[in-house]
mmCIF file of all heavy atoms in Angstrom:
data_model
loop_
_atom_site.group_PDB
_atom_site.id
_atom_site.type_symbol
_atom_site.label_atom_id
_atom_site.label_comp_id
_atom_site.label_asym_id
_atom_site.label_seq_id
_atom_site.Cartn_x
_atom_site.Cartn_y
_atom_site.Cartn_z
ATOM 1 N N PRO A 209 32.504 -20.265 -26.452
ATOM 2 C CA PRO A 209 32.816 -19.668 -25.140
ATOM 3 C C PRO A 209 31.641 -18.887 -24.565
ATOM 4 O O PRO A 209 31.425 -18.870 -23.344
ATOM 5 C CB PRO A 209 33.991 -18.732 -25.421
ATOM 6 C CG PRO A 209 34.181 -18.691 -26.873
ATOM 7 C CD PRO A 209 33.419 -19.801 -27.499
ATOM 8 N N ALA A 210 30.867 -18.253 -25.425
ATOM 9 C CA ALA A 210 29.697 -17.508 -24.951
ATOM 10 C C ALA A 210 28.712 -18.463 -24.282
ATOM 11 O O ALA A 210 28.154 -18.168 -23.229
ATOM 12 C CB ALA A 210 29.045 -16.781 -26.118
ATOM 13 N N LEU A 211 28.531 -19.635 -24.887
ATOM 14 C CA LEU A 211 27.599 -20.611 -24.316
ATOM 15 C C LEU A 211 28.087 -21.129 -22.970
ATOM 16 O O LEU A 211 27.299 -21.332 -22.054
ATOM 17 C CB LEU A 211 27.419 -21.797 -25.275
ATOM 18 C CG LEU A 211 26.466 -21.556 -26.442
ATOM 19 C CD1 LEU A 211 26.390 -22.766 -27.327
ATOM 20 C CD2 LEU A 211 25.080 -21.184 -25.915
ATOM 21 N N ARG A 212 29.391 -21.296 -22.854
ATOM 22 C CA ARG A 212 29.941 -21.749 -21.561
ATOM 23 C C ARG A 212 29.671 -20.700 -20.482
ATOM 24 O O ARG A 212 29.273 -21.021 -19.375
ATOM 25 C CB ARG A 212 31.444 -22.004 -21.689
ATOM 26 C CG ARG A 212 31.772 -23.408 -22.233
ATOM 27 C CD ARG A 212 33.217 -23.790 -21.951
ATOM 28 N NE ARG A 212 34.182 -22.910 -22.620
ATOM 29 C CZ ARG A 212 34.551 -23.044 -23.902
ATOM 30 N NH1 ARG A 212 34.030 -24.013 -24.636
ATOM 31 N NH2 ARG A 212 35.425 -22.215 -24.440
ATOM 32 N N LYS A 213 29.853 -19.453 -20.831
ATOM 33 C CA LYS A 213 29.570 -18.365 -19.878
ATOM 34 C C LYS A 213 28.108 -18.414 -19.430
ATOM 35 O O LYS A 213 27.792 -18.246 -18.262
ATOM 36 C CB LYS A 213 29.788 -17.002 -20.546
ATOM 37 C CG LYS A 213 31.215 -16.500 -20.518
ATOM 38 C CD LYS A 213 31.283 -15.223 -21.356
ATOM 39 C CE LYS A 213 32.697 -14.782 -21.641
ATOM 40 N NZ LYS A 213 33.267 -13.942 -20.598
ATOM 41 N N ILE A 214 27.233 -18.624 -20.398
ATOM 42 C CA ILE A 214 25.797 -18.611 -20.106
ATOM 43 C C ILE A 214 25.420 -19.750 -19.175
ATOM 44 O O ILE A 214 24.678 -19.567 -18.214
ATOM 45 C CB ILE A 214 24.999 -18.709 -21.428
ATOM 46 C CG1 ILE A 214 25.148 -17.400 -22.194
ATOM 47 C CG2 ILE A 214 23.529 -19.012 -21.171
ATOM 48 C CD1 ILE A 214 24.739 -17.505 -23.630
ATOM 49 N N THR A 215 25.995 -20.930 -19.418
ATOM 50 C CA THR A 215 25.683 -22.080 -18.576
ATOM 51 C C THR A 215 26.146 -21.821 -17.143
ATOM 52 O O THR A 215 25.422 -22.083 -16.176
ATOM 53 C CB THR A 215 26.370 -23.352 -19.125
ATOM 54 O OG1 THR A 215 26.120 -23.393 -20.528
ATOM 55 C CG2 THR A 215 25.843 -24.598 -18.469
ATOM 56 N N ALA A 216 27.355 -21.274 -16.998
ATOM 57 C CA ALA A 216 27.888 -21.004 -15.657
ATOM 58 C C ALA A 216 27.014 -19.982 -14.936
ATOM 59 O O ALA A 216 26.682 -20.125 -13.757
ATOM 60 C CB ALA A 216 29.314 -20.488 -15.765
ATOM 61 N N LEU A 217 26.617 -18.980 -15.668
ATOM 62 C CA LEU A 217 25.801 -17.917 -15.085
ATOM 63 C C LEU A 217 24.431 -18.436 -14.645
ATOM 64 O O LEU A 217 23.935 -18.103 -13.570
ATOM 65 C CB LEU A 217 25.626 -16.824 -16.139
ATOM 66 C CG LEU A 217 25.057 -15.528 -15.641
ATOM 67 C CD1 LEU A 217 26.024 -14.905 -14.651
ATOM 68 C CD2 LEU A 217 24.848 -14.575 -16.803
ATOM 69 N N LYS A 218 23.854 -19.272 -15.489
ATOM 70 C CA LYS A 218 22.539 -19.842 -15.184
ATOM 71 C C LYS A 218 22.614 -20.606 -13.849
ATOM 72 O O LYS A 218 21.766 -20.415 -12.979
ATOM 73 C CB LYS A 218 22.098 -20.775 -16.316
ATOM 74 C CG LYS A 218 20.701 -21.327 -16.114
ATOM 75 C CD LYS A 218 20.239 -22.107 -17.313
ATOM 76 C CE LYS A 218 20.629 -23.548 -17.312
ATOM 77 N NZ LYS A 218 20.190 -24.453 -16.345
ATOM 78 N N SER A 219 23.657 -21.422 -13.663
ATOM 79 C CA SER A 219 23.776 -22.172 -12.406
ATOM 80 C C SER A 219 23.943 -21.222 -11.234
ATOM 81 O O SER A 219 23.392 -21.439 -10.157
ATOM 82 C CB SER A 219 24.976 -23.122 -12.411
ATOM 83 O OG SER A 219 25.172 -23.660 -13.663
ATOM 84 N N GLU A 220 24.680 -20.159 -11.438
ATOM 85 C CA GLU A 220 24.918 -19.214 -10.344
ATOM 86 C C GLU A 220 23.597 -18.560 -9.896
ATOM 87 O O GLU A 220 23.330 -18.443 -8.705
ATOM 88 C CB GLU A 220 25.900 -18.149 -10.829
ATOM 89 C CG GLU A 220 26.601 -17.444 -9.703
ATOM 90 C CD GLU A 220 27.631 -16.449 -10.229
ATOM 91 O OE1 GLU A 220 28.370 -16.798 -11.167
ATOM 92 O OE2 GLU A 220 27.685 -15.327 -9.695
ATOM 93 N N ILE A 221 22.808 -18.159 -10.862
ATOM 94 C CA ILE A 221 21.525 -17.519 -10.506
ATOM 95 C C ILE A 221 20.603 -18.548 -9.843
ATOM 96 O O ILE A 221 19.931 -18.246 -8.859
ATOM 97 C CB ILE A 221 20.856 -16.887 -11.746
ATOM 98 C CG1 ILE A 221 21.780 -15.849 -12.374
ATOM 99 C CG2 ILE A 221 19.517 -16.245 -11.370
ATOM 100 C CD1 ILE A 221 21.260 -15.215 -13.641
ATOM 101 N N GLU A 222 20.625 -19.776 -10.375
ATOM 102 C CA GLU A 222 19.783 -20.824 -9.771
ATOM 103 C C GLU A 222 20.174 -21.065 -8.324
ATOM 104 O O GLU A 222 19.316 -21.202 -7.453
ATOM 105 C CB GLU A 222 19.908 -22.128 -10.568
ATOM 106 C CG GLU A 222 18.932 -22.177 -11.727
ATOM 107 C CD GLU A 222 19.171 -23.355 -12.665
ATOM 108 O OE1 GLU A 222 20.333 -23.819 -12.756
ATOM 109 O OE2 GLU A 222 18.207 -23.797 -13.290
ATOM 110 N N GLU A 223 21.483 -21.100 -8.072
ATOM 111 C CA GLU A 223 21.947 -21.317 -6.689
ATOM 112 C C GLU A 223 21.480 -20.193 -5.781
ATOM 113 O O GLU A 223 21.087 -20.423 -4.645
ATOM 114 C CB GLU A 223 23.475 -21.397 -6.656
ATOM 115 C CG GLU A 223 23.977 -22.811 -6.837
ATOM 116 C CD GLU A 223 25.446 -22.837 -7.228
ATOM 117 O OE1 GLU A 223 26.205 -21.971 -6.738
ATOM 118 O OE2 GLU A 223 25.819 -23.708 -8.032
ATOM 119 N N THR A 224 21.530 -18.973 -6.278
ATOM 120 C CA THR A 224 21.069 -17.833 -5.475
ATOM 121 C C THR A 224 19.589 -18.003 -5.130
ATOM 122 O O THR A 224 19.167 -17.745 -4.001
ATOM 123 C CB THR A 224 21.278 -16.519 -6.248
ATOM 124 O OG1 THR A 224 22.645 -16.428 -6.606
ATOM 125 C CG2 THR A 224 20.880 -15.324 -5.430
ATOM 126 N N LEU A 225 18.823 -18.466 -6.112
ATOM 127 C CA LEU A 225 17.389 -18.664 -5.873
ATOM 128 C C LEU A 225 17.169 -19.742 -4.814
ATOM 129 O O LEU A 225 16.360 -19.577 -3.902
ATOM 130 C CB LEU A 225 16.683 -19.056 -7.172
ATOM 131 C CG LEU A 225 16.293 -17.896 -8.081
ATOM 132 C CD1 LEU A 225 15.860 -18.403 -9.442
ATOM 133 C CD2 LEU A 225 15.157 -17.096 -7.446
ATOM 134 N N ILE A 226 17.926 -20.832 -4.921
ATOM 135 C CA ILE A 226 17.750 -21.934 -3.968
ATOM 136 C C ILE A 226 18.128 -21.482 -2.563
ATOM 137 O O ILE A 226 17.402 -21.709 -1.600
ATOM 138 C CB ILE A 226 18.584 -23.164 -4.391
ATOM 139 C CG1 ILE A 226 17.998 -23.752 -5.682
ATOM 140 C CG2 ILE A 226 18.611 -24.221 -3.295
ATOM 141 C CD1 ILE A 226 18.907 -24.738 -6.389
ATOM 142 N N SER A 227 19.273 -20.787 -2.446
ATOM 143 C CA SER A 227 19.727 -20.400 -1.109
ATOM 144 C C SER A 227 18.851 -19.293 -0.521
ATOM 145 O O SER A 227 18.945 -18.974 0.653
ATOM 146 C CB SER A 227 21.188 -19.962 -1.143
ATOM 147 O OG SER A 227 21.280 -18.745 -1.844
ATOM 148 N N SER A 228 17.993 -18.708 -1.335
ATOM 149 C CA SER A 228 17.111 -17.652 -0.826
ATOM 150 C C SER A 228 15.701 -18.157 -0.593
ATOM 151 O O SER A 228 14.781 -17.369 -0.361
ATOM 152 C CB SER A 228 17.057 -16.496 -1.815
ATOM 153 O OG SER A 228 18.335 -15.968 -2.030
ATOM 154 N N ALA A 229 15.539 -19.490 -0.649
ATOM 155 C CA ALA A 229 14.177 -20.039 -0.597
ATOM 156 C C ALA A 229 13.378 -19.542 0.608
ATOM 157 O O ALA A 229 12.182 -19.338 0.513
ATOM 158 C CB ALA A 229 14.241 -21.554 -0.607
ATOM 159 N N GLN A 230 14.066 -19.338 1.740
ATOM 160 C CA GLN A 230 13.304 -18.986 2.946
ATOM 161 C C GLN A 230 13.267 -17.490 3.246
ATOM 162 O O GLN A 230 12.698 -17.073 4.237
ATOM 163 C CB GLN A 230 13.913 -19.714 4.148
ATOM 164 C CG GLN A 230 13.628 -21.199 4.131
ATOM 165 C CD GLN A 230 14.734 -21.966 4.820
ATOM 166 O OE1 GLN A 230 15.906 -21.741 4.576
ATOM 167 N NE2 GLN A 230 14.349 -22.880 5.687
ATOM 168 N N SER A 231 13.889 -16.697 2.384
ATOM 169 C CA SER A 231 14.065 -15.304 2.771
ATOM 170 C C SER A 231 12.775 -14.491 2.726
ATOM 171 O O SER A 231 12.610 -13.555 3.494
ATOM 172 C CB SER A 231 15.119 -14.649 1.900
ATOM 173 O OG SER A 231 14.673 -14.669 0.567
ATOM 174 N N GLU A 232 11.845 -14.862 1.839
ATOM 175 C CA GLU A 232 10.589 -14.116 1.824
ATOM 176 C C GLU A 232 9.835 -14.323 3.139
ATOM 177 O O GLU A 232 9.097 -13.474 3.587
ATOM 178 C CB GLU A 232 9.715 -14.573 0.662
ATOM 179 C CG GLU A 232 10.071 -13.880 -0.631
ATOM 180 C CD GLU A 232 9.550 -14.637 -1.837
ATOM 181 O OE1 GLU A 232 8.326 -14.792 -1.939
ATOM 182 O OE2 GLU A 232 10.372 -15.084 -2.633
ATOM 183 N N ARG A 233 10.086 -15.495 3.735
ATOM 184 C CA ARG A 233 9.424 -15.788 5.013
ATOM 185 C C ARG A 233 9.826 -14.791 6.087
ATOM 186 O O ARG A 233 9.042 -14.432 6.929
ATOM 187 C CB ARG A 233 9.810 -17.187 5.478
ATOM 188 C CG ARG A 233 9.249 -18.262 4.596
ATOM 189 C CD ARG A 233 9.650 -19.601 5.130
ATOM 190 N NE ARG A 233 8.962 -20.660 4.427
ATOM 191 C CZ ARG A 233 9.112 -21.937 4.717
ATOM 192 N NH1 ARG A 233 9.925 -22.309 5.673
ATOM 193 N NH2 ARG A 233 8.443 -22.844 4.050
ATOM 194 N N LEU A 234 11.089 -14.380 6.044
ATOM 195 C CA LEU A 234 11.565 -13.460 7.071
ATOM 196 C C LEU A 234 10.866 -12.113 6.948
ATOM 197 O O LEU A 234 10.639 -11.422 7.929
ATOM 198 C CB LEU A 234 13.085 -13.303 6.961
ATOM 199 C CG LEU A 234 13.774 -12.643 8.147
ATOM 200 C CD1 LEU A 234 13.429 -13.346 9.444
ATOM 201 C CD2 LEU A 234 15.277 -12.626 7.956
ATOM 202 N N ARG A 235 10.528 -11.715 5.745
ATOM 203 C CA ARG A 235 9.789 -10.467 5.579
ATOM 204 C C ARG A 235 8.387 -10.632 6.122
ATOM 205 O O ARG A 235 7.820 -9.725 6.716
ATOM 206 C CB ARG A 235 9.695 -10.086 4.097
ATOM 207 C CG ARG A 235 10.939 -9.449 3.537
ATOM 208 C CD ARG A 235 10.681 -8.926 2.147
ATOM 209 N NE ARG A 235 9.797 -7.785 2.154
ATOM 210 C CZ ARG A 235 8.663 -7.722 1.475
ATOM 211 N NH1 ARG A 235 8.260 -8.725 0.741
ATOM 212 N NH2 ARG A 235 7.928 -6.646 1.532
ATOM 213 N N GLU A 236 7.792 -11.797 5.872
ATOM 214 C CA GLU A 236 6.377 -11.962 6.192
ATOM 215 C C GLU A 236 6.114 -12.490 7.592
ATOM 216 O O GLU A 236 5.059 -12.232 8.159
ATOM 217 C CB GLU A 236 5.727 -12.874 5.148
ATOM 218 C CG GLU A 236 5.446 -12.098 3.868
ATOM 219 C CD GLU A 236 5.496 -12.947 2.618
ATOM 220 O OE1 GLU A 236 5.295 -14.167 2.740
ATOM 221 O OE2 GLU A 236 5.749 -12.395 1.541
ATOM 222 N N GLY A 237 7.055 -13.238 8.144
ATOM 223 C CA GLY A 237 6.873 -13.747 9.490
ATOM 224 C C GLY A 237 6.220 -15.118 9.533
ATOM 225 O O GLY A 237 5.699 -15.612 8.539
ATOM 226 N N LEU A 238 6.281 -15.722 10.713
ATOM 227 C CA LEU A 238 5.707 -17.045 10.946
ATOM 228 C C LEU A 238 4.371 -16.855 11.660
ATOM 229 O O LEU A 238 4.297 -16.123 12.637
ATOM 230 C CB LEU A 238 6.672 -17.842 11.830
ATOM 231 C CG LEU A 238 6.200 -19.156 12.434
ATOM 232 C CD1 LEU A 238 6.169 -20.244 11.366
ATOM 233 C CD2 LEU A 238 7.129 -19.590 13.558
#
Side-chain angles (χ1 to χ4, degrees):
L211 280 179
R212 276 198 297 278
K213 275 174 192 273
I214 289 164
T215 313
L217 192 64
K218 184 173 87 63
S219 324
E220 201 177 316
I221 301 177
E222 273 171 332
E223 270 162 35
T224 304
L225 277 169
I226 292 166
S227 69
S228 301
Q230 288 151 313
S231 62
E232 276 161 61
R233 292 181 171 181
L234 194 54
R235 281 188 70 236
E236 282 150 24
L238 169 75

